[in-house]
Amino acid sequence: MPYLPPLDDFRLILTHLAGYPALSKTELFAEAGAETAEAVLTEAGRLAAEVLAPLQRVGDRQPARLENGVTRTPPGFGEGFRAIAEGGWIGISAEESSGGMGLPLSLATAVNEMFSAACLSLQLAPLMSQGQIEALEHHGSDEMKALYLPKLTSGEWMGTMNLTEPQAGSDVGALTTKAEPAGDGTYRITGQKIYITWGDNDFAENICHLVLARLPDAPAGTKGISLFMVPKFLPDEAGAPGAANALRVVSLEEKLGLHGSPTAVMAYEGAKGWLVGAEHGGMAAMFTMMNNARLGVGAQGIGVAEAACQMALAYAADRKQGRAEGRGTIIEHADVRRMLATMRAQTYAARAIALLCAGALDRAKAGEAAAAAEAAFLTPIAKAFGTDTGCEVAQLGIQVHGGMGFIEETGAAQLARDVRVTAIYEGTNGIQALDLVGRKLADGGEAAFALIDKAVAEAEAAREALKPLAEALWQAAEELREATERLLALPVAARGAVAVPYLRAFALVIGGQAHLSAARHGGAERLALARFYLLRMLPEHQGLLAHVAEAGEAGLPTADELLA
């Protein structure tokens, strides 16, 4: 079905919640004012709707395949990627010195969401390159930047991330891929990597793999990991793709969804590579890639949620079933309206959190000291809640369709299949929650309390005009403050059992702030959705915070009890 970019949502959030007008007045982003932002969002939305959305079903029905060692991508994917590249969208937030636009990540996040909503399988390709671009900007040598960054931002070459091995998933420190010095400043990389998104394709001139590996006598665990650039084709003296490197695609994974995206098992057989960053400094570079990707993956979940909302709304407005007053279609049924309202309200909340996170990263880059801590705290929330939202809203979309949602021809099932992995990769959502209650609370809760204070300030600003909604947000924020204080009193090791419900409760409160802001600055439709969220969805936070009140693992069965 057609995709309609949610441009009004982006405008409302960026203007009234995420602080874009002030950001565009900073020296760094002085060229990214309201007119530029509007042009970027409008043009990216047009590309998503007209070029990428028609590829969504193609990729599912004609998946990527490996033929005699050559990866064949779905019809139209090469042209779709070139349209993304030629529009400059890969390098939208990359440095201008690298050939990028140098625009705020706030705009890049909105663009990534729209592309994800249109065709997630294809959007994964530029996302991988974006993560590699950021890693090289921070950790690459001047020579490496000069060679790779212009080609990655232009889309001539594509980037990947090679982290996972059969025995080393979330436990990255267990990897065994080896890197032997060749004596000429290069290294020979040997090992196998799995789950490599867009590990190969048939339209890019070169595929640039960032590979985690161990140098000889490296320390065990994560302290002994280094990062290497290992291209598919070795650049010649002119920087053009030359001889084939000693690497190959062993197979493409057969997956639940994302069939248009080739996920490769890669074999490195003494492949030539170059060190990125310092020896044993691979984790620092990896986290640069991962943090970029975590926000990007959160936007992917939100994009799929938006697509599911639009599909379900269109179906409910057209489907005649049972006795329905008014329009005479199922959208008049109370429970259908409950599901649709839940889908739309949760999607808006997740979108706002992602843009708040991106805005904080932009402000930090522009020199605002406190923004870095805010961005760090919001990143695991944006990733986990964004992807949980994608999964939950896509499932509700199937339910709205009824039996037709279970039939592949509608496309509703594809959205649920495609988005499911987003809650797993780039660090499972459980790992995001552990990061939140561990590293992100290591400041004594300073960043957490600052965000809670912003929610309270929103409630105070709306108290006169929207008293019941403002009081609901104020109460929830103060209960979150108390739960955070209780959590800080626990040893870090005891927080894991309550990490996931705490993260979601935090997301619900920030979502309430976003909806109250929308009710203050938007029209009647915004008020209706805010009322539904704040009075019917936000109270879920109390049940979630009850986990924290139980203090650590109290009430949680042991492994032996579960296996009994």
Side-chain angles (χ1 to χ4, degrees):
M1 63 165 285
Y3 166 68
L4 300 174
L7 300 184
D8 286 344
D9 279 12
F10 293 133
R11 296 184 188 111
L12 190 61
I13 294 168
L14 289 171
T15 302
H16 297 291
L17 187 69
Y20 192 87
L23 180 71
S24 63
K25 293 177 182 177
T26 63
E27 182 179 354
L28 182 62
F29 296 117
E31 302 299 318
E35 186 175 335
T36 297
E38 182 66 21
V40 165
L41 294 175
T42 300
E43 184 58 26
R46 183 202 64 78
L47 177 63
E50 297 178 8
V51 179
L52 305 184
L55 299 174
Q56 166 77 349
R57 299 295 282 150
V58 176
D60 196 55
R61 291 170 170 169
Q62 301 180 61
R65 64 194 189 280
L66 189 64
E67 292 183 348
N68 299 319
V70 178
T71 301
R72 304 293 185 191
T73 55
F77 269 44
E79 291 78 5
F81 182 82
R82 280 191 284 275
I84 293 171
E86 289 169 4
W89 303 113
I90 298 173
I92 179 172
S93 59
E95 303 291 345
E96 292 183 70
S97 59
S98 307
M101 295 187 191
L103 292 173
L105 188 60
S106 302
L107 294 181
T109 299
V111 170
N112 282 339
E113 186 206 306
M114 289 189 281
F115 290 177
S116 300
C119 184
L120 181 55
S121 284
L122 181 55
Q123 190 273 339
L124 278 162
L127 184 73
M128 293 297 99
S129 290
Q130 288 171 348
Q132 188 169 117
I133 288 166
E134 183 158 351
L136 292 180
E137 284 180 343
H138 285 84
H139 303 283
S141 66
D142 290 342
E143 294 78 11
M144 188 174 288
K145 292 178 185 177
L147 173 60
Y148 287 93
L149 287 178
K151 296 182 182 297
L152 288 167
T153 54
S154 70
E156 296 172 74
W157 294 3
M158 284 176 57
T160 75
M161 296 163 53
N162 284 238
L163 284 62
T164 307
E165 298 178 8
Q167 79 294 339
S170 298
D171 182 12
V172 179
L175 67 84
T176 59
T177 297
K178 298 178 181 179
E180 297 282 346
D184 60 357
T186 66
Y187 299 80
R188 297 296 176 261
I189 313 300
T190 302
Q192 185 180 90
K193 298 288 183 178
I194 61 173
Y195 305 156
I196 308 308
T197 300
W198 279 95
D200 196 25
N201 66 70
D202 54 0
F203 51 79
E205 288 184 359
N206 206 355
I207 314 294
C208 309
H209 301 286
L210 283 181
V211 183
L212 289 179
R214 292 188 181 283
L215 291 166
D217 303 322
T222 56
K223 294 181 179 180
I225 296 175
S226 300
L227 183 66
F228 301 87
M229 171 62 77
V230 189
K232 178 180 179 180
F233 297 107
L234 299 170
D236 61 20
E237 293 182 359
N245 208 347
L247 56 88
R248 61 190 174 89
V249 178
V250 177
S251 63
L252 298 183
E253 303 284 6
E254 295 185 18
K255 301 172 293 184
L256 175 68
L258 295 177
H259 295 151
S261 167
T263 301
V265 176
M266 300 293 302
Y268 295 89
E269 299 163 335
K272 190 173 185 178
W274 286 262
L275 183 67
V276 179
E279 291 186 359
H280 316 314
M283 287 301 290
M286 186 196 77
F287 275 116
T288 300
M289 291 187 289
M290 291 285 281
N291 280 329
N292 176 287
R294 282 171 176 168
L295 176 57
V297 170
Q300 288 179 340
I302 300 160
V304 174
E306 177 63 35
C309 283
Q310 294 187 19
M311 189 179 294
L313 279 164
Y315 183 83
D318 183 67
R319 172 66 168 167
K320 294 182 179 181
Q321 183 78 25
R323 296 179 182 178
E325 303 296 332
R327 297 171 183 266
T329 60
I330 65 171
I331 199 169
E332 297 290 355
H333 296 315
D335 193 55
V336 172
R337 285 185 281 122
R338 176 194 63 81
M339 289 189 286
L340 292 171
T342 299
M343 294 169 72
R344 291 191 59 202
Q346 187 168 336
T347 300
Y348 186 85
R351 175 177 293 126
I353 291 170
L355 291 176
L356 278 170
C357 182
L361 286 164
D362 286 330
R363 299 199 319 272
K365 190 174 182 179
E368 184 181 322
E374 179 179 326
F377 195 89
L378 283 170
T379 295
I381 300 176
K383 193 277 180 181
F385 190 66
T387 57
D388 280 347
T389 294
C391 294
E392 293 164 15
V393 169
Q395 290 292 341
L396 277 174
I398 292 175
Q399 195 72 14
V400 170
H401 280 77
M404 287 304 296
F406 199 65
I407 304 300
E408 288 289 354
E409 70 181 68
T410 63
Q414 182 188 344
L415 294 175
R417 289 188 285 104
D418 284 353
V419 77
R420 184 61 185 86
V421 73
T422 62
I424 298 171
Y425 61 29
E426 306 307 335
T428 67
N429 288 357
I431 288 175
Q432 304 303 318
L434 290 173
D435 178 46
L436 184 71
V437 302
R439 279 191 293 257
K440 301 306 164 53
L441 285 179
D443 62 353
E446 183 177 342
F449 293 133
L451 283 166
I452 293 170
D453 288 343
K454 289 187 177 183
V456 169
E458 182 66 49
E460 296 291 353
R463 189 174 294 280
E464 183 174 344
L466 299 164
K467 186 175 181 180
L469 306 188
E471 288 185 349
L473 176 60
W474 186 91
Q475 185 65 36
E478 291 304 330
E479 288 170 356
L480 179 62
R481 189 191 306 276
E482 293 172 6
T484 302
E485 291 168 350
R486 287 196 298 270
L487 197 61
L488 286 166
L490 293 174
V492 174
R495 299 174 189 172
V498 301
V500 167
Y502 175 76
L503 182 150
R504 189 173 182 96
F506 217 117
L508 289 177
V509 170
I510 301 174
Q513 175 190 348
H515 274 286
L516 192 55
S517 172
R520 288 205 299 134
H521 300 290
E525 178 205 345
R526 304 289 177 178
L527 177 57
L529 207 59
R531 184 181 296 113
F532 178 83
Y533 183 94
L534 285 156
L535 300 183
R536 296 192 60 169
M537 295 181 68
L538 180 58
E540 295 174 14
H541 84 284
Q542 293 176 327
L544 294 164
L545 293 180
H547 290 264
V548 180
E550 286 297 316
E553 296 199 14
L556 186 67
T558 66
D560 287 341
E561 288 170 337
L562 290 170
L563 291 168

